[in-house]
Amino acid sequence: PPGTWVRAAGYDERALREGRHPTRRELDQAAPGHPVRLDHRSGHATVLNSLGLKLAGITGSTPEPPGGYMERDLADGEPAGLLVEMNEMLDGLLPPPAPGELRSAVAEAARRLLAEGITFLQDATPTNGAAEWRLFGDLQSEGVLPQAVSLMECYDHLGELPEGKGRLLRGPVKIMPKELEHEFYPQAGLLAAILRRIEAAGRRAAVHVTTRAGLETVLEAFEALGRPAPGHRIEHCSVAAEDAARRIAALGLAVVTQPGFLFESADLMLRRLSDADRSDLYPIRRLLEAGVPVAGSSDAPVAAPRPLDGIRGAVERLSRGGAELAPAQSLTASDALALFTSGAARVLGLDRERGSVAPGFVADLVVLNALPGEVPWEQLSVDLTVIAGEVAYERSSSARLD
């Protein structure tokens, strides 16, 4: 209805004909009677139209938060619509979905994830607190969400989440720095203070970082701790040279990375990567050889939640357009599969109960029609997904456990 919010997500300016972000006035023309919020595929940028900016209370005099950026119209200094790393100003702006709508959407998402062979979820939302913990528990107890969940905790909510057990577990504390092209916030000193507080609470951090310069800041912060406690994680680690890999290993850090990007969206990334970054892109073999525990993930909804795409990306290291992406970092099919099974369980600290098929382990199982590498990638599929010993997804009646 007129006056209600229109929200869309997943655009990438590099894939648009104009090769740039949309503007508020273009969104005004597209939906003149609605406030509009258009979220970038990365989750770190948003474009609002004029009515959306008005409802958010954002004008040309609105100060940018530390690490944030607001694009302005050069003619009058007013917002052009693009907001980067300013999500905290927009939180709560859109009304939440109704409970029934939310449960229906989660149930559909869970079914799709089961069809991809996903039995365990790590929710990395950087704002998670007690309310989200209760919501996930309710969704699981109602049978809406059959997968087990590890829920990261927002740093601002440190101490709110219980340790959990069974199929709902407390994950690490999420640290979401603001990472612009030439700026990283918080800097190493403040980040080290945050890490000390997390360690003092007996917890471990998961620090989001994608760029070479950002990784240097994060490693400096961990090194300032002297000897970090084991169990901290780096999320993404998209670009890392050999020296950085050695430092990560020496600090005892784990890495959670997304080789599916190599297959799904590398053609877009290549347009902006330097030659040095291309050779150090998703250096999974380098990290493993340095002794770093590595887990594979999808980064959904930024990318499709398909572990088989991640395994393919780690092995082939070819973009959809056929471009080679640091082929020296290629893994064997079995090592790539381990990223999403035993490697993931190790990083989560659950390798004594998950990640392998062994007596006494949780009976969350996936049956493929063939082993990765035995058939063409396009023919590889999930035949059966088992949750806690019960068949939760079956591709066809011919798929059976032997």
Side-chain angles (χ1 to χ4, degrees):
T4 58
W5 278 93
V6 173
R7 180 172 182 176
Y11 87 92
D12 190 322
E13 78 283 5
R14 296 166 295 185
L16 300 178
R17 182 177 63 246
E18 295 83 356
R20 60 166 174 80
H21 298 275
T23 68
R24 78 176 196 178
R25 290 181 174 81
E26 289 166 338
L27 296 185
D28 290 345
Q29 295 172 6
H34 299 266
V36 177
R37 176 174 177 173
L38 177 60
D39 289 332
H40 192 265
R41 67 182 298 272
S42 67
H44 294 268
T46 297
V47 184
L48 297 181
N49 71 344
S50 297
L51 184 53
L53 288 165
K54 180 179 179 181
L55 292 175
I58 297 174
T59 68
S61 60
T62 300
E64 296 160 327
Y69 167 74
M70 176 167 60
E71 190 169 75
R72 299 171 188 270
D73 191 314
L74 296 179
D76 56 15
E78 288 299 303
L82 176 65
L83 308 172
V84 182
E85 300 288 13
M86 293 177 61
N87 284 340
E88 67 270 23
M89 298 186 68
L90 306 178
D91 287 346
L93 187 59
L94 276 71
E101 181 184 359
L102 174 66
R103 278 157 172 75
S104 175
V106 171
E108 174 62 20
R111 286 191 292 269
R112 295 188 186 190
L113 295 174
L114 289 172
E116 301 293 351
I118 296 173
T119 66
F120 191 105
L121 306 172
Q122 171 82 84
D123 187 284
T125 306
T127 54
N128 282 335
E132 288 74 19
W133 179 271
R134 290 191 295 270
L135 174 61
F136 271 91
D138 290 344
L139 292 170
Q140 289 179 322
S141 64
E142 295 165 9
V144 176
L145 183 64
Q147 287 90 350
V149 176
S150 171
L151 194 71
M152 288 193 187
E153 186 174 35
C154 171
Y155 174 70
D156 291 339
H157 295 285
L158 181 61
E160 286 189 10
L161 302 190
E163 188 172 348
K165 60 181 179 179
R167 306 192 73 78
L168 182 58
L169 305 172
R170 183 181 66 189
V173 180
K174 180 69 176 287
I175 305 299
M176 192 79 168
K178 296 180 178 180
E179 200 169 6
L180 300 179
E181 188 173 358
H182 301 294
E183 184 179 358
F184 189 90
Y185 180 85
Q187 286 294 310
L190 178 54
L191 181 55
I194 292 171
L195 294 172
R196 288 191 186 96
R197 184 186 172 207
I198 291 171
E199 285 201 351
R203 302 292 301 286
R204 301 296 178 261
V207 184
H208 178 287
V209 60
T210 61
T211 63
R212 188 186 301 271
L215 180 59
E216 177 64 27
T217 300
V218 170
L219 294 180
E220 287 180 9
F222 274 112
E223 288 166 346
L225 301 184
R227 189 177 181 87
H232 294 292
R233 292 166 40 172
I234 294 175
E235 306 296 303
H236 303 300
C237 197
S238 310
V239 180
E242 290 184 7
D243 177 64
R246 288 192 292 268
R247 291 166 68 188
I248 292 169
L251 288 163
L253 306 176
V255 167
V256 179
T257 192
Q258 296 76 32
F261 284 134
L262 297 169
F263 171 71
E264 180 169 303
S265 57
D267 289 308
L268 297 176
M269 292 192 294
L270 286 174
R271 300 178 190 178
R272 291 189 174 180
L273 289 173
S274 66
D275 290 340
D277 282 351
R278 290 187 185 193
S279 64
D280 292 332
L281 185 65
Y282 292 101
I284 304 172
R285 173 174 290 279
R286 177 180 296 160
L287 292 166
L288 290 172
E289 290 178 346
V292 177
V294 181
S297 80
S298 67
D299 202 33
V302 177
R306 297 198 72 239
L308 292 180
D309 282 353
I311 294 167
R312 178 177 183 174
V315 174
E316 285 193 329
R317 300 194 66 99
L318 291 173
S319 70
R320 288 182 186 269
E324 285 193 332
L325 302 154
Q329 298 301 318
S330 174
L331 301 184
T332 65
S334 59
D335 286 345
L337 179 61
L339 295 177
F340 292 86
T341 52
S342 57
R346 180 186 178 190
V347 170
L348 285 163
L350 300 174
D351 47 332
R352 294 186 177 182
E353 60 182 73
R354 294 182 176 275
S356 302
V357 180
F361 277 45
V362 176
D364 288 356
L365 307 168
V366 179
V367 180
L368 305 178
N369 65 331
L371 288 175
E374 287 188 345
V375 298
W377 292 103
E378 292 78 10
Q379 297 178 16
L380 192 63
S381 65
V382 173
D383 277 348
L384 201 70
T385 303
V386 176
I387 298 284
E390 300 291 333
V391 174
Y393 165 80
E394 191 169 6
R395 187 167 66 94
S396 69
S397 58
S398 62
R400 290 285 186 269
L401 280 172
D402 293 329

Coordinates of all heavy atoms in Angstrom, one line a residue, residues 55-92:
L55 N 12.3 9.6 6.9 CA 11.9 8.8 8.0 C 13.0 8.4 8.9 O 12.8 8.2 10.2 CB 11.1 7.6 7.5 CG 9.8 7.9 6.8 CD1 9.2 6.6 6.3 CD2 8.8 8.5 7.8
A56 N 14.2 8.3 8.4 CA 15.4 7.9 9.2 C 16.0 9.1 9.9 O 16.9 9.0 10.7 CB 16.4 7.3 8.3
G57 N 15.5 10.3 9.5 CA 16.0 11.6 10.1 C 17.4 11.9 9.7 O 18.2 12.6 10.4
I58 N 17.8 11.5 8.4 CA 19.1 11.7 7.9 C 19.1 12.9 6.9 O 18.3 12.9 5.9 CB 19.7 10.5 7.2 CG1 19.8 9.3 8.2 CG2 21.0 10.8 6.5 CD1 20.2 8.0 7.6
T59 N 19.9 13.9 7.2 CA 20.0 15.1 6.4 C 21.4 15.4 6.1 O 22.3 14.7 6.5 CB 19.3 16.3 7.0 OG1 20.1 16.7 8.2 CG2 17.9 16.0 7.5
G60 N 21.7 16.5 5.3 CA 23.0 16.9 5.0 C 23.8 17.2 6.3 O 25.1 17.2 6.2
S61 N 23.2 17.6 7.4 CA 23.9 17.9 8.6 C 24.1 16.8 9.5 O 24.7 16.9 10.6 CB 23.1 19.1 9.3 OG 21.8 18.7 9.6
T62 N 23.6 15.6 9.2 CA 23.7 14.4 10.0 C 25.2 14.0 10.1 O 25.8 13.8 9.0 CB 22.9 13.2 9.5 OG1 21.5 13.6 9.5 CG2 23.0 12.0 10.4
P63 N 25.8 13.9 11.2 CA 27.2 13.5 11.3 C 27.3 12.0 11.0 O 26.5 11.2 11.3 CB 27.6 13.8 12.7 CG 26.3 13.7 13.5 CD 25.3 14.2 12.6
E64 N 28.4 11.7 10.3 CA 28.7 10.3 10.0 C 29.3 9.6 11.2 O 30.2 10.2 11.9 CB 29.7 10.2 8.8 CG 29.1 10.7 7.5 CD 30.2 11.1 6.5 OE1 31.3 11.5 6.9 OE2 29.9 10.9 5.3
P65 N 28.9 8.4 11.5 CA 29.5 7.7 12.7 C 30.9 7.3 12.4 O 31.3 7.3 11.2 CB 28.6 6.5 12.9 CG 28.1 6.2 11.5 CD 27.9 7.6 10.9
P66 N 31.7 7.0 13.4 CA 33.1 6.6 13.2 C 33.1 5.4 12.2 O 32.4 4.4 12.4 CB 33.6 6.2 14.6 CG 32.8 7.0 15.5 CD 31.5 7.1 14.9
G67 N 33.9 5.5 11.2 CA 34.0 4.4 10.2 C 32.9 4.4 9.2 O 32.9 3.5 8.3
G68 N 31.9 5.3 9.3 CA 30.8 5.4 8.3 C 31.1 6.4 7.2 O 31.9 7.3 7.4
Y69 N 30.3 6.3 6.2 CA 30.4 7.2 5.1 C 29.0 7.5 4.5 O 28.3 6.5 4.2 CB 31.3 6.7 4.0 CG 31.3 7.4 2.7 CD1 31.8 8.6 2.5 CD2 30.6 6.8 1.6 CE1 31.8 9.3 1.3 CE2 30.6 7.4 0.3 CZ 31.2 8.7 0.2 OH 31.1 9.3 -1.0
M70 N 28.7 8.7 4.2 CA 27.5 9.1 3.6 C 27.8 9.9 2.3 O 28.4 10.9 2.3 CB 26.6 10.0 4.5 CG 25.3 10.5 3.8 SD 24.1 11.2 5.0 CE 25.0 12.5 5.7
E71 N 27.4 9.3 1.1 CA 27.6 10.0 -0.1 C 26.7 11.2 -0.2 O 25.5 11.2 0.1 CB 27.4 9.1 -1.3 CG 27.8 9.6 -2.6 CD 27.8 8.5 -3.7 OE1 26.7 8.2 -4.2 OE2 28.8 8.0 -4.1
R72 N 27.3 12.3 -0.7 CA 26.5 13.6 -0.7 C 26.4 14.1 -2.1 O 27.3 13.9 -3.0 CB 27.2 14.6 0.2 CG 27.2 14.2 1.7 CD 28.0 15.1 2.5 NE 28.2 14.6 3.8 CZ 27.4 14.9 4.9 NH1 26.4 15.7 4.7 NH2 27.7 14.4 6.1
D73 N 25.4 14.8 -2.4 CA 25.2 15.5 -3.7 C 26.2 16.7 -3.7 O 26.2 17.6 -2.8 CB 23.8 16.0 -3.8 CG 23.4 16.5 -5.2 OD1 24.2 17.2 -5.8 OD2 22.4 16.1 -5.8
L74 N 27.0 16.8 -4.8 CA 28.0 17.8 -4.8 C 27.4 19.2 -5.0 O 28.0 20.2 -4.6 CB 29.0 17.5 -6.0 CG 29.8 16.3 -5.9 CD1 30.7 16.1 -7.1 CD2 30.7 16.3 -4.7
A75 N 26.2 19.3 -5.5 CA 25.6 20.6 -5.7 C 25.1 21.2 -4.4 O 25.2 22.5 -4.2 CB 24.4 20.4 -6.7
D76 N 24.5 20.5 -3.5 CA 24.0 21.1 -2.3 C 24.4 20.4 -1.0 O 24.0 20.9 0.1 CB 22.4 21.1 -2.4 CG 21.9 19.7 -2.6 OD1 22.6 18.7 -2.4 OD2 20.7 19.6 -2.9
G77 N 25.2 19.4 -1.0 CA 25.7 18.7 0.2 C 24.7 17.8 0.8 O 25.0 17.2 1.9
E78 N 23.5 17.7 0.2 CA 22.5 16.8 0.8 C 22.8 15.3 0.5 O 23.5 15.0 -0.4 CB 21.1 17.2 0.3 CG 20.6 18.5 0.8 CD 20.4 18.4 2.3 OE1 19.7 17.6 2.8 OE2 21.1 19.3 3.0
P79 N 22.2 14.4 1.3 CA 22.5 13.0 1.0 C 22.1 12.5 -0.4 O 21.0 12.9 -0.8 CB 21.7 12.2 2.1 CG 21.4 13.3 3.2 CD 21.4 14.6 2.5
A80 N 23.0 11.8 -1.0 CA 22.7 11.3 -2.4 C 22.0 9.9 -2.3 O 21.5 9.4 -3.3 CB 24.0 11.1 -3.2
G81 N 21.9 9.4 -1.1 CA 21.2 8.1 -0.9 C 22.0 7.0 -0.4 O 21.5 6.1 0.4
L82 N 23.3 6.9 -0.8 CA 24.2 5.8 -0.4 C 24.7 6.0 1.0 O 25.3 7.1 1.4 CB 25.3 5.7 -1.3 CG 26.4 4.7 -1.0 CD1 25.8 3.3 -1.1 CD2 27.6 4.8 -1.9
L83 N 24.5 5.0 1.9 CA 25.1 5.0 3.3 C 25.9 3.8 3.4 O 25.5 2.7 3.2 CB 23.9 5.0 4.3 CG 22.9 6.1 4.1 CD1 21.7 5.8 5.1 CD2 23.4 7.5 4.3
V84 N 27.2 4.0 3.8 CA 28.1 2.8 4.0 C 28.5 2.7 5.4 O 28.8 3.7 6.1 CB 29.4 3.1 3.1 CG1 30.3 1.9 3.3 CG2 29.0 3.3 1.6
E85 N 28.4 1.5 6.0 CA 28.7 1.2 7.4 C 27.9 2.1 8.3 O 28.4 2.6 9.3 CB 30.2 1.3 7.6 CG 31.1 0.4 6.8 CD 31.0 -1.0 7.2 OE1 30.1 -1.4 8.0 OE2 31.9 -1.8 6.8
M86 N 26.6 2.3 8.0 CA 25.8 3.1 8.9 C 24.5 2.4 9.3 O 23.5 3.0 9.6 CB 25.4 4.4 8.2 CG 26.6 5.3 8.0 SD 26.3 6.9 7.0 CE 25.1 7.7 8.1
N87 N 24.6 1.0 9.3 CA 23.4 0.2 9.6 C 22.8 0.5 11.0 O 21.6 0.4 11.2 CB 23.7 -1.3 9.5 CG 23.8 -1.7 8.0 OD1 23.3 -1.0 7.1 ND2 24.4 -2.8 7.8
E88 N 23.7 0.9 12.0 CA 23.2 1.1 13.3 C 22.2 2.3 13.3 O 21.3 2.3 14.2 CB 24.3 1.4 14.3 CG 25.1 2.7 14.1 CD 26.3 2.6 13.1 OE1 26.3 1.6 12.3 OE2 27.2 3.4 13.2
M89 N 22.3 3.2 12.4 CA 21.4 4.3 12.3 C 20.0 3.9 11.7 O 19.0 4.6 11.9 CB 21.9 5.5 11.5 CG 23.2 6.1 12.1 SD 23.8 7.6 11.1 CE 22.4 8.7 11.5
L90 N 20.1 2.7 11.0 CA 18.9 2.3 10.3 C 18.2 1.1 11.1 O 17.0 0.8 10.7 CB 19.2 1.8 8.9 CG 20.0 2.8 8.0 CD1 20.3 2.2 6.7 CD2 19.2 4.1 7.9
D91 N 18.8 0.6 12.1 CA 18.2 -0.5 12.8 C 16.9 -0.1 13.4 O 16.8 1.0 14.1 CB 19.2 -1.0 13.9 CG 20.3 -1.8 13.4 OD1 20.3 -2.2 12.2 OD2 21.3 -2.0 14.1
G92 N 15.9 -0.9 13.3 CA 14.6 -0.6 13.8 C 13.8 0.3 12.9 O 12.6 0.7 13.3

